[in-house]
Amino acid sequence: QVQLVESGGGLVQAGGSLRLSCVASGRTFSSAAMAWFRQAPGKEREFMAAISRFGSTRHYADSVKGRFTISRDNDKSTLHLQMKSLKPEDTAVYYCAASRNTWQPPSTEAGTYGYWGQGTQVTVSS
């Protein structure tokens, strides 16, 4: 069973930066594509960024391109999301996710991810 634990969320002013982390256990970290999603109150879960097993392929939602950077440290079994130029509309609970099958490429679809963390709250004040 894969466990994912996010951290790094908090309250930040618009224009500020935060770095989210997600520590994984229970499976060889480098065996799976990983991703970040977010969910704002009253809205559906939304894809943010995904990364392949060794980081060669990355996908971003249009809304965060140029502002968010996904990365991974396979030696430390950790996924990161560096967020800059934050906006109030970035306020949400952010979740990391691991692909259900090790052969899957990074995807923008939540259904391809079988393991989820508990989420970390990011609040951006105006």
Side-chain angles (χ1 to χ4, degrees):
Q1 188 71 9
V2 176
Q3 292 85 40
L4 303 172
V5 180
E6 301 99 333
S7 63
L11 174 63
V12 64
Q13 288 188 331
S17 300
L18 279 175
R19 188 192 195 204
L20 306 184
S21 298
C22 171
V23 177
S25 61
R27 182 173 68 178
T28 301
F29 184 69
S30 60
S31 67
M34 302 287 295
W36 287 97
F37 288 77
R38 71 185 182 191
Q39 188 166 19
K43 295 187 177 181
E44 293 187 353
R45 193 163 294 191
E46 176 186 21
F47 167 77
M48 291 289 95
I51 188 168
S52 59
R53 294 169 57 197
F54 297 100
S56 60
T57 301
R58 307 182 194 201
H59 302 303
Y60 293 96
D62 288 343
S63 60
V64 304
K65 277 181 182 176
R67 299 191 299 124
F68 291 10
T69 302
I70 189 171
S71 63
R72 64 190 297 162
D73 184 337
N74 287 345
D75 290 337
K76 297 182 178 179
S77 298
T78 303
L79 179 73
H80 296 291
L81 185 68
Q82 179 67 50
M83 305 185 295
K84 64 179 183 179
S85 303
L86 284 163
K87 306 174 182 179
E89 51 263 44
D90 293 319
T91 295
V93 177
Y94 284 70
Y95 299 89
C96 71
S99 59
R100 180 175 292 112
N101 298 303
T102 57
W103 50 261
Q104 285 175 315
S107 170
T108 63
E109 299 296 326
T112 62
Y113 295 92
Y115 305 97
W116 296 82
Q118 82 289 349
T120 186
Q121 176 71 46
V122 172
T123 303
V124 185
S125 63
S126 57

